[in-house]
Amino acid sequence: MTIKKKIALIFIAAAVTTTCIFAACNKPDKATNTYTPPISDVDLANAISAGVSFNSNGFAEEITAISNYSVAKGLYTTTPGLQCGVSFDTSFTRTSNSTAGSYTYGDDLNFTLACIAGAPDSLNVTQEMHGAYALSQISGTDGSTAQLVIKQLQPGYTSVIINGTYTRTGTDSSKIGTKPTFSSVITYTLSNITLDKTTKKITGGVATVGITGFSNTGVAYQNSGLLTFDKNGVTLTLNGNDFTTALY
């Protein structure tokens, strides 16, 4: 088995070659006969990681907010503050400015609590969000939509389990290498994401991820990978390379 090279995103400044999918992609350079991708793996990895990072109001921040709401409404108890089977709407405005990153987003959520014998069993969440973020290597203006199912609400469980889809769509601007600007549609298919009820942090789970878009010169690109979450952060496997970063 080939040992994959671990690459920490915070230290990356060079592009990694990726495979072109569309016929419209850049042709090999005639002088060197080498292929230059429209968007490097490093920039794609930074955009994908921004979509899940707490510091860019990614998925980790989103489910922390959902968990805080669940606590406030007593959804981790046998006496919830939401009526079973009834749809409830709520909105958040979140702003953060720190050395790790900054963001401003408006977030609209809809919750429907499913119960068994009057006690919470699972929570269905739909979400729509718009705003902008800035990290050390990338910034963007984007929005997200999500369809999530959250299980293990009962008091006997120390963690909830999240499944569903989460999609971020917008424009990203890299701050490294050739500093490209590119559009992106990033779809995360979440499988058994584990969130600790006490710390409100992700401790496990995986997500397949697909990313498509166009460079600022109109060249199409497409790629896909796998995100693996654990208590230390998240690892993106993309084109045979692993990119690791902290979630919080």
Side-chain angles (χ1 to χ4, degrees):
M1 182 180 291
T2 301
I3 299 176
K4 298 178 181 178
K5 184 178 179 183
K6 296 286 184 179
I7 307 174
L9 289 179
I10 195 169
F11 296 114
I12 297 172
V16 181
T17 302
T18 187
T19 303
C20 181
I21 302 296
F22 290 93
C25 293
N26 293 2
K27 296 179 179 180
D29 182 89
K30 292 182 179 180
T32 61
N33 200 34
T34 59
Y35 167 73
T36 302
I39 307 297
S40 74
D41 278 10
V42 175
D43 289 326
L44 294 184
N46 278 328
I48 291 169
S49 295
V52 296
S53 172
F54 188 94
N55 298 310
S56 49
N57 199 49
F59 176 71
E61 166 64 291
E62 187 66 47
I63 62 172
T64 295
I66 292 171
S67 187
N68 287 335
Y69 180 82
S70 297
V71 170
K73 294 298 182 180
L75 304 189
Y76 298 157
T77 73
T78 57
T79 54
L82 294 184
Q83 186 176 349
C84 301
V86 178
S87 177
F88 292 89
D89 294 320
T90 189
S91 297
F92 299 100
T93 298
R94 291 199 290 273
T95 299
S96 177
N97 191 359
S98 70
T99 56
S102 62
Y103 60 78
T104 299
Y105 282 88
D107 198 2
D108 298 314
L109 298 106
N110 176 272
F111 298 92
T112 304
L113 180 65
C115 299
I116 296 178
D121 179 62
S122 63
L123 183 67
N124 291 281
V125 182
T126 60
Q127 175 258 11
E128 185 173 347
M129 178 182 72
H130 298 281
Y133 74 91
L135 298 174
S136 62
Q137 295 192 356
I138 196 167
S139 62
T141 300
D142 61 8
S144 70
T145 58
Q147 298 279 342
L148 308 174
V149 178
I150 303 173
K151 297 183 176 181
Q152 298 189 174
L153 302 178
Q154 298 90 335
Y157 293 102
T158 59
S159 299
V160 293
I161 300 294
I162 301 105
N163 289 283
T165 57
Y166 177 71
T167 303
R168 281 177 78 115
T169 303
T171 301
D172 305 285
S173 297
S174 176
K175 300 179 182 180
I176 61 173
T178 59
K179 301 181 179 180
T181 294
F182 54 99
S183 69
S184 64
V185 179
I186 312 172
T187 301
Y188 307 83
T189 302
L190 311 162
S191 179
N192 294 330
I193 304 298
T194 305
L195 182 78
D196 187 279
K197 289 181 178 178
T198 301
T199 66
K200 310 298 193 302
K201 290 186 177 181
I202 295 173
T203 58
V206 297
T208 57
V209 58
I211 182 170
T212 62
F214 293 88
S215 71
N216 60 352
T217 58
V219 179
Y221 71 87
Q222 175 175 299
N223 217 316
S224 61
L226 177 70
L227 286 166
T228 303
F229 298 85
D230 60 37
K231 63 181 181 180
N232 297 315
V234 61
T235 298
L236 168 65
T237 302
L238 186 70
N239 292 334
N241 290 302
D242 287 349
F243 300 84
T244 61
T245 187
L247 274 175
Y248 301 95

